[in-house]
Amino acid sequence: MNTPLTIRSIFLLLFSGYLGTLNAQTEAYTAAGDTVILYDDGTWEYQSDSKEDPSGLPPIDSLWYNPGTFNKPATSPQTVKDESGAYEVWYEDKKWQRTPSGRLNEDAKMAFKTKKPGGFGMVIYEPVELPLQVLREAALINARSADPNIQLTNQELRTVNGRKMLCLEMEGAVSGMKFKYFGYYYSNASGSWQFITYTTQSLFDEFKPDFELLLNGLIIHKN
C-alpha cells in the first residue's frame, strides 16, 4: 500500500520554489506550472489568471452529485474519537477491529482492518484547510508514485452526515498486486481529512458494502 500524502507532503509536492514574499504573501508554482499565492496562515489561492485545476480533471463543482443517503449506520455501535475533538468514526465491531495506526501508515490517526482478512481503512487528518481539488491531486500524485498507470475509476460528490465530501475510487498495481482504493476527502477551516479504504481488486466487490458503511461513520464536529 502506498502511503497517502499528508498536508505537509502536499505542499512539498505541489509547491516547488518561490519568487519572494510581499505583505505576508508568497508567490509559488504548482507541479503543473500554475501560479498560486501562499499566505502565512497556511491558506492559499490561485493567482487571478491561473485558476485551472492543475490535475487537468473536471472542476470539483462540476462532478456528479450522488443524491443517496450517506449517514452513520445504525448497525455501527462502536465509536472512536480523535483526541483533538475534531471528528469521530463509528464502526461495526462485528466486522471491523482497530489496528495500530503505524502498521498501515505512520501518519494515520486511526486505522482499521476487517475481521475477515483482506480489507483495511485509515484516517489521515491534519489541521490545515485545503481545497478539495488539491486533496484530489495529492491522492493521484501519491497513487501514481507507486503505479504511473493507476486509474481514477469514479469521482463524485456526496453529503455524508451533513458534510459535502468528495468520493474517489482508484485502481492500480503495487509490487505486482492489483489494489482498489475507495475513500472520502473533506476539508474545512478546522483541517483536512482523507478517509481511505482499500483491498485487492479481486476482493473489492465483496468488501465494498463494508467499506461504505465504515466511511459513512465519519462524523466531523468542527467547522
Side-chain angles (χ1 to χ4, degrees):
M1 170 63 179
N2 198 39
T3 302
L5 294 177
T6 62
I7 299 302
R8 57 183 176 275
S9 299
I10 290 171
F11 278 99
L12 287 173
L13 282 169
L14 301 185
F15 303 123
S16 53
Y18 65 92
L19 296 180
T21 302
L22 180 64
N23 296 328
Q25 301 177 11
T26 300
E27 188 173 293
Y29 302 100
T30 69
D34 296 285
T35 304
V36 297
I37 305 299
L38 307 179
Y39 298 96
D40 284 350
D41 62 1
T43 62
W44 68 278
E45 64 182 356
Y46 288 112
Q47 196 176 62
S48 59
D49 60 351
S50 180
K51 293 185 178 294
E52 294 299 319
D53 187 328
S55 68
L57 295 168
I60 294 294
D61 289 344
S62 73
L63 297 180
W64 178 64
Y65 171 75
N66 188 327
T69 300
F70 305 100
N71 294 325
K72 179 182 77 67
T75 56
S76 298
Q78 297 296 321
T79 185
V80 54
K81 298 182 179 180
D82 180 68
E83 61 185 12
S84 71
Y87 68 99
E88 64 182 304
V89 173
W90 290 81
Y91 65 99
E92 187 174 357
D93 55 348
K94 292 182 179 179
K95 294 184 176 181
W96 291 92
Q97 64 186 47
R98 299 283 308 283
T99 187
S101 301
R103 291 184 180 179
L104 298 184
N105 183 290
E106 63 181 6
D107 293 302
K109 300 297 184 183
M110 298 180 188
F112 306 85
K113 65 179 181 180
T114 51
K115 290 190 173 181
K116 181 178 180 178
F120 303 90
M122 69 179 78
V123 180
I124 294 178
Y125 164 72
E126 293 187 84
V128 178
E129 182 178 14
L130 286 176
L132 286 179
Q133 65 262 27
V134 174
L135 290 178
R136 179 176 63 180
E137 183 180 7
L140 288 170
I141 290 173
N142 174 70
R144 287 172 179 165
S145 69
D147 175 13
N149 298 313
I150 199 163
Q151 297 295 315
L152 181 58
T153 57
N154 186 59
Q155 53 179 330
E156 62 187 52
L157 296 172
R158 298 179 172 189
T159 297
V160 182
N161 297 310
R163 307 279 184 169
K164 188 176 181 180
M165 298 187 183
L166 174 65
C167 176
L168 297 180
E169 291 184 33
M170 294 182 285
E171 59 183 32
V174 179
S175 300
M177 296 184 64
K178 294 181 178 180
F179 283 94
K180 188 151 187 176
Y181 312 92
F182 179 35
Y184 287 168
Y185 300 81
Y186 178 76
S187 187
N188 65 18
S190 296
S192 297
W193 288 259
Q194 299 177 73
F195 193 1
I196 305 160
T197 60
Y198 64 95
T199 188
T200 60
Q201 290 182 28
S202 62
L203 293 176
F204 182 75
D205 288 343
E206 175 184 348
F207 278 116
K208 185 176 181 180
D210 292 334
F211 285 173
E212 194 157 35
L213 291 175
L214 179 68
L215 293 170
N216 290 343
L218 175 62
I219 306 287
I220 295 172
H221 296 298
K222 292 186 177 180
N223 295 317

PDB file of all heavy atoms in Angstrom, residues 140-163:
ATOM      1  N   LEU A 140      -3.902  11.513  -6.341  1.00  0.00           N
ATOM      2  CA  LEU A 140      -3.443  10.965  -7.614  1.00  0.00           C
ATOM      3  C   LEU A 140      -1.926  10.936  -7.703  1.00  0.00           C
ATOM      4  O   LEU A 140      -1.334   9.957  -8.171  1.00  0.00           O
ATOM      5  CB  LEU A 140      -4.028  11.786  -8.767  1.00  0.00           C
ATOM      6  CG  LEU A 140      -5.520  11.595  -9.019  1.00  0.00           C
ATOM      7  CD1 LEU A 140      -6.032  12.624 -10.018  1.00  0.00           C
ATOM      8  CD2 LEU A 140      -5.796  10.199  -9.527  1.00  0.00           C
ATOM      9  N   ILE A 141      -1.276  12.010  -7.255  1.00  0.00           N
ATOM     10  CA  ILE A 141       0.186  12.036  -7.271  1.00  0.00           C
ATOM     11  C   ILE A 141       0.743  10.904  -6.431  1.00  0.00           C
ATOM     12  O   ILE A 141       1.678  10.202  -6.816  1.00  0.00           O
ATOM     13  CB  ILE A 141       0.708  13.396  -6.764  1.00  0.00           C
ATOM     14  CG1 ILE A 141       0.413  14.496  -7.784  1.00  0.00           C
ATOM     15  CG2 ILE A 141       2.215  13.342  -6.503  1.00  0.00           C
ATOM     16  CD1 ILE A 141       0.750  15.888  -7.299  1.00  0.00           C
ATOM     17  N   ASN A 142       0.157  10.732  -5.255  1.00  0.00           N
ATOM     18  CA  ASN A 142       0.612   9.677  -4.360  1.00  0.00           C
ATOM     19  C   ASN A 142       0.451   8.298  -4.993  1.00  0.00           C
ATOM     20  O   ASN A 142       1.368   7.487  -5.007  1.00  0.00           O
ATOM     21  CB  ASN A 142      -0.180   9.748  -3.058  1.00  0.00           C
ATOM     22  CG  ASN A 142       0.140   8.594  -2.137  1.00  0.00           C
ATOM     23  OD1 ASN A 142       1.231   8.524  -1.594  1.00  0.00           O
ATOM     24  ND2 ASN A 142      -0.801   7.687  -1.987  1.00  0.00           N
ATOM     25  N   ALA A 143      -0.739   8.042  -5.542  1.00  0.00           N
ATOM     26  CA  ALA A 143      -1.002   6.730  -6.126  1.00  0.00           C
ATOM     27  C   ALA A 143      -0.104   6.480  -7.327  1.00  0.00           C
ATOM     28  O   ALA A 143       0.407   5.368  -7.513  1.00  0.00           O
ATOM     29  CB  ALA A 143      -2.470   6.635  -6.526  1.00  0.00           C
ATOM     30  N   ARG A 144       0.116   7.504  -8.142  1.00  0.00           N
ATOM     31  CA  ARG A 144       0.916   7.324  -9.346  1.00  0.00           C
ATOM     32  C   ARG A 144       2.411   7.249  -9.063  1.00  0.00           C
ATOM     33  O   ARG A 144       3.180   6.865  -9.938  1.00  0.00           O
ATOM     34  CB  ARG A 144       0.592   8.433 -10.337  1.00  0.00           C
ATOM     35  CG  ARG A 144      -0.790   8.225 -10.962  1.00  0.00           C
ATOM     36  CD  ARG A 144      -1.267   9.382 -11.798  1.00  0.00           C
ATOM     37  NE  ARG A 144      -2.583   9.051 -12.357  1.00  0.00           N
ATOM     38  CZ  ARG A 144      -3.414   9.953 -12.892  1.00  0.00           C
ATOM     39  NH1 ARG A 144      -3.069  11.240 -12.924  1.00  0.00           N
ATOM     40  NH2 ARG A 144      -4.583   9.575 -13.379  1.00  0.00           N
ATOM     41  N   SER A 145       2.818   7.604  -7.850  1.00  0.00           N
ATOM     42  CA  SER A 145       4.220   7.404  -7.495  1.00  0.00           C
ATOM     43  C   SER A 145       4.533   5.922  -7.341  1.00  0.00           C
ATOM     44  O   SER A 145       5.673   5.491  -7.480  1.00  0.00           O
ATOM     45  CB  SER A 145       4.551   8.152  -6.195  1.00  0.00           C
ATOM     46  OG  SER A 145       3.897   7.557  -5.085  1.00  0.00           O
ATOM     47  N   ALA A 146       3.493   5.127  -7.039  1.00  0.00           N
ATOM     48  CA  ALA A 146       3.661   3.677  -6.940  1.00  0.00           C
ATOM     49  C   ALA A 146       3.316   2.987  -8.248  1.00  0.00           C
ATOM     50  O   ALA A 146       3.903   1.970  -8.593  1.00  0.00           O
ATOM     51  CB  ALA A 146       2.780   3.120  -5.822  1.00  0.00           C
ATOM     52  N   ASP A 147       2.338   3.556  -8.974  1.00  0.00           N
ATOM     53  CA  ASP A 147       1.917   2.977 -10.247  1.00  0.00           C
ATOM     54  C   ASP A 147       1.512   4.115 -11.186  1.00  0.00           C
ATOM     55  O   ASP A 147       0.427   4.674 -11.046  1.00  0.00           O
ATOM     56  CB  ASP A 147       0.732   2.025 -10.030  1.00  0.00           C
ATOM     57  CG  ASP A 147       0.181   1.478 -11.340  1.00  0.00           C
ATOM     58  OD1 ASP A 147       0.857   1.625 -12.385  1.00  0.00           O
ATOM     59  OD2 ASP A 147      -0.912   0.898 -11.329  1.00  0.00           O
ATOM     60  N   PRO A 148       2.367   4.465 -12.146  1.00  0.00           N
ATOM     61  CA  PRO A 148       2.058   5.567 -13.067  1.00  0.00           C
ATOM     62  C   PRO A 148       0.789   5.348 -13.873  1.00  0.00           C
ATOM     63  O   PRO A 148       0.226   6.304 -14.411  1.00  0.00           O
ATOM     64  CB  PRO A 148       3.290   5.614 -13.986  1.00  0.00           C
ATOM     65  CG  PRO A 148       4.372   4.946 -13.218  1.00  0.00           C
ATOM     66  CD  PRO A 148       3.697   3.886 -12.405  1.00  0.00           C
ATOM     67  N   ASN A 149       0.326   4.119 -13.951  1.00  0.00           N
ATOM     68  CA  ASN A 149      -0.850   3.808 -14.762  1.00  0.00           C
ATOM     69  C   ASN A 149      -2.129   3.681 -13.945  1.00  0.00           C
ATOM     70  O   ASN A 149      -3.139   3.206 -14.451  1.00  0.00           O
ATOM     71  CB  ASN A 149      -0.618   2.495 -15.524  1.00  0.00           C
ATOM     72  CG  ASN A 149       0.550   2.593 -16.473  1.00  0.00           C
ATOM     73  OD1 ASN A 149       0.675   3.557 -17.232  1.00  0.00           O
ATOM     74  ND2 ASN A 149       1.443   1.606 -16.430  1.00  0.00           N
ATOM     75  N   ILE A 150      -2.095   4.107 -12.700  1.00  0.00           N
ATOM     76  CA  ILE A 150      -3.298   3.990 -11.875  1.00  0.00           C
ATOM     77  C   ILE A 150      -4.442   4.776 -12.496  1.00  0.00           C
ATOM     78  O   ILE A 150      -4.244   5.835 -13.109  1.00  0.00           O
ATOM     79  CB  ILE A 150      -3.023   4.456 -10.429  1.00  0.00           C
ATOM     80  CG1 ILE A 150      -4.099   3.904  -9.486  1.00  0.00           C
ATOM     81  CG2 ILE A 150      -2.953   5.980 -10.338  1.00  0.00           C
ATOM     82  CD1 ILE A 150      -3.714   3.951  -8.031  1.00  0.00           C
ATOM     83  N   GLN A 151      -5.647   4.238 -12.363  1.00  0.00           N
ATOM     84  CA  GLN A 151      -6.819   4.845 -12.972  1.00  0.00           C
ATOM     85  C   GLN A 151      -7.779   5.364 -11.905  1.00  0.00           C
ATOM     86  O   GLN A 151      -8.038   4.690 -10.909  1.00  0.00           O
ATOM     87  CB  GLN A 151      -7.551   3.823 -13.845  1.00  0.00           C
ATOM     88  CG  GLN A 151      -6.744   3.303 -15.020  1.00  0.00           C
ATOM     89  CD  GLN A 151      -6.433   4.389 -16.025  1.00  0.00           C
ATOM     90  OE1 GLN A 151      -7.306   5.182 -16.391  1.00  0.00           O
ATOM     91  NE2 GLN A 151      -5.189   4.430 -16.483  1.00  0.00           N
ATOM     92  N   LEU A 152      -8.290   6.571 -12.134  1.00  0.00           N
ATOM     93  CA  LEU A 152      -9.366   7.119 -11.313  1.00  0.00           C
ATOM     94  C   LEU A 152     -10.663   6.624 -11.920  1.00  0.00           C
ATOM     95  O   LEU A 152     -11.075   7.069 -12.993  1.00  0.00           O
ATOM     96  CB  LEU A 152      -9.298   8.648 -11.312  1.00  0.00           C
ATOM     97  CG  LEU A 152     -10.331   9.411 -10.493  1.00  0.00           C
ATOM     98  CD1 LEU A 152     -10.277   8.997  -9.039  1.00  0.00           C
ATOM     99  CD2 LEU A 152     -10.099  10.904 -10.632  1.00  0.00           C
ATOM    100  N   THR A 153     -11.290   5.640 -11.289  1.00  0.00           N
ATOM    101  CA  THR A 153     -12.431   4.961 -11.893  1.00  0.00           C
ATOM    102  C   THR A 153     -13.770   5.611 -11.570  1.00  0.00           C
ATOM    103  O   THR A 153     -14.749   5.367 -12.264  1.00  0.00           O
ATOM    104  CB  THR A 153     -12.463   3.487 -11.460  1.00  0.00           C
ATOM    105  OG1 THR A 153     -12.498   3.411 -10.028  1.00  0.00           O
ATOM    106  CG2 THR A 153     -11.229   2.757 -11.969  1.00  0.00           C
ATOM    107  N   ASN A 154     -13.824   6.415 -10.515  1.00  0.00           N
ATOM    108  CA  ASN A 154     -15.067   7.121 -10.196  1.00  0.00           C
ATOM    109  C   ASN A 154     -14.761   8.300  -9.294  1.00  0.00           C
ATOM    110  O   ASN A 154     -13.897   8.218  -8.414  1.00  0.00           O
ATOM    111  CB  ASN A 154     -16.072   6.199  -9.506  1.00  0.00           C
ATOM    112  CG  ASN A 154     -17.423   6.869  -9.305  1.00  0.00           C
ATOM    113  OD1 ASN A 154     -18.060   7.288 -10.268  1.00  0.00           O
ATOM    114  ND2 ASN A 154     -17.872   6.994  -8.070  1.00  0.00           N
ATOM    115  N   GLN A 155     -15.443   9.403  -9.536  1.00  0.00           N
ATOM    116  CA  GLN A 155     -15.355  10.558  -8.643  1.00  0.00           C
ATOM    117  C   GLN A 155     -16.717  11.230  -8.610  1.00  0.00           C
ATOM    118  O   GLN A 155     -17.357  11.429  -9.626  1.00  0.00           O
ATOM    119  CB  GLN A 155     -14.264  11.523  -9.088  1.00  0.00           C
ATOM    120  CG  GLN A 155     -14.337  11.989 -10.528  1.00  0.00           C
ATOM    121  CD  GLN A 155     -13.226  12.955 -10.868  1.00  0.00           C
ATOM    122  OE1 GLN A 155     -12.739  13.713 -10.021  1.00  0.00           O
ATOM    123  NE2 GLN A 155     -12.799  12.946 -12.113  1.00  0.00           N
ATOM    124  N   GLU A 156     -17.165  11.526  -7.410  1.00  0.00           N
ATOM    125  CA  GLU A 156     -18.476  12.126  -7.240  1.00  0.00           C
ATOM    126  C   GLU A 156     -18.500  12.897  -5.934  1.00  0.00           C
ATOM    127  O   GLU A 156     -17.605  12.765  -5.094  1.00  0.00           O
ATOM    128  CB  GLU A 156     -19.563  11.054  -7.232  1.00  0.00           C
ATOM    129  CG  GLU A 156     -19.435  10.061  -6.078  1.00  0.00           C
ATOM    130  CD  GLU A 156     -20.426   8.913  -6.182  1.00  0.00           C
ATOM    131  OE1 GLU A 156     -20.479   8.270  -7.247  1.00  0.00           O
ATOM    132  OE2 GLU A 156     -21.138   8.674  -5.181  1.00  0.00           O
ATOM    133  N   LEU A 157     -19.536  13.693  -5.761  1.00  0.00           N
ATOM    134  CA  LEU A 157     -19.764  14.412  -4.515  1.00  0.00           C
ATOM    135  C   LEU A 157     -20.902  13.740  -3.751  1.00  0.00           C
ATOM    136  O   LEU A 157     -21.856  13.238  -4.355  1.00  0.00           O
ATOM    137  CB  LEU A 157     -20.109  15.870  -4.798  1.00  0.00           C
ATOM    138  CG  LEU A 157     -19.016  16.700  -5.468  1.00  0.00           C
ATOM    139  CD1 LEU A 157     -19.553  18.066  -5.859  1.00  0.00           C
ATOM    140  CD2 LEU A 157     -17.804  16.841  -4.565  1.00  0.00           C
ATOM    141  N   ARG A 158     -20.766  13.710  -2.440  1.00  0.00           N
ATOM    142  CA  ARG A 158     -21.787  13.146  -1.580  1.00  0.00           C
ATOM    143  C   ARG A 158     -21.965  14.033  -0.355  1.00  0.00           C
ATOM    144  O   ARG A 158     -21.009  14.672   0.076  1.00  0.00           O
ATOM    145  CB  ARG A 158     -21.404  11.745  -1.097  1.00  0.00           C
ATOM    146  CG  ARG A 158     -21.234  10.690  -2.162  1.00  0.00           C
ATOM    147  CD  ARG A 158     -20.834   9.368  -1.547  1.00  0.00           C
ATOM    148  NE  ARG A 158     -20.845   8.283  -2.523  1.00  0.00           N
ATOM    149  CZ  ARG A 158     -20.696   7.006  -2.226  1.00  0.00           C
ATOM    150  NH1 ARG A 158     -20.514   6.645  -0.947  1.00  0.00           N
ATOM    151  NH2 ARG A 158     -20.712   6.080  -3.161  1.00  0.00           N
ATOM    152  N   THR A 159     -23.150  14.017   0.218  1.00  0.00           N
ATOM    153  CA  THR A 159     -23.364  14.638   1.518  1.00  0.00           C
ATOM    154  C   THR A 159     -23.335  13.523   2.554  1.00  0.00           C
ATOM    155  O   THR A 159     -24.204  12.646   2.562  1.00  0.00           O
ATOM    156  CB  THR A 159     -24.684  15.402   1.575  1.00  0.00           C
ATOM    157  OG1 THR A 159     -24.651  16.466   0.622  1.00  0.00           O
ATOM    158  CG2 THR A 159     -24.899  15.995   2.967  1.00  0.00           C
ATOM    159  N   VAL A 160     -22.309  13.550   3.400  1.00  0.00           N
ATOM    160  CA  VAL A 160     -22.083  12.499   4.392  1.00  0.00           C
ATOM    161  C   VAL A 160     -22.256  13.110   5.777  1.00  0.00           C
ATOM    162  O   VAL A 160     -21.485  13.986   6.175  1.00  0.00           O
ATOM    163  CB  VAL A 160     -20.674  11.889   4.242  1.00  0.00           C
ATOM    164  CG1 VAL A 160     -20.480  10.760   5.242  1.00  0.00           C
ATOM    165  CG2 VAL A 160     -20.444  11.398   2.819  1.00  0.00           C
ATOM    166  N   ASN A 161     -23.285  12.677   6.485  1.00  0.00           N
ATOM    167  CA  ASN A 161     -23.565  13.225   7.822  1.00  0.00           C
ATOM    168  C   ASN A 161     -23.563  14.752   7.810  1.00  0.00           C
ATOM    169  O   ASN A 161     -23.019  15.407   8.690  1.00  0.00           O
ATOM    170  CB  ASN A 161     -22.549  12.686   8.829  1.00  0.00           C
ATOM    171  CG  ASN A 161     -22.649  11.185   8.989  1.00  0.00           C
ATOM    172  OD1 ASN A 161     -23.719  10.643   9.199  1.00  0.00           O
ATOM    173  ND2 ASN A 161     -21.514  10.503   8.873  1.00  0.00           N
ATOM    174  N   GLY A 162     -24.197  15.294   6.770  1.00  0.00           N
ATOM    175  CA  GLY A 162     -24.363  16.735   6.665  1.00  0.00           C
ATOM    176  C   GLY A 162     -23.195  17.488   6.063  1.00  0.00           C
ATOM    177  O   GLY A 162     -23.260  18.710   5.943  1.00  0.00           O
ATOM    178  N   ARG A 163     -22.129  16.795   5.644  1.00  0.00           N
ATOM    179  CA  ARG A 163     -20.941  17.437   5.081  1.00  0.00           C
ATOM    180  C   ARG A 163     -20.777  17.046   3.613  1.00  0.00           C
ATOM    181  O   ARG A 163     -20.865  15.864   3.266  1.00  0.00           O
ATOM    182  CB  ARG A 163     -19.687  17.014   5.839  1.00  0.00           C
ATOM    183  CG  ARG A 163     -19.769  17.205   7.349  1.00  0.00           C
ATOM    184  CD  ARG A 163     -19.504  18.614   7.747  1.00  0.00           C
ATOM    185  NE  ARG A 163     -19.498  18.756   9.203  1.00  0.00           N
ATOM    186  CZ  ARG A 163     -19.091  19.851   9.834  1.00  0.00           C
ATOM    187  NH1 ARG A 163     -18.665  20.889   9.143  1.00  0.00           N
ATOM    188  NH2 ARG A 163     -19.120  19.922  11.159  1.00  0.00           N
TER     189      ARG A 163
END
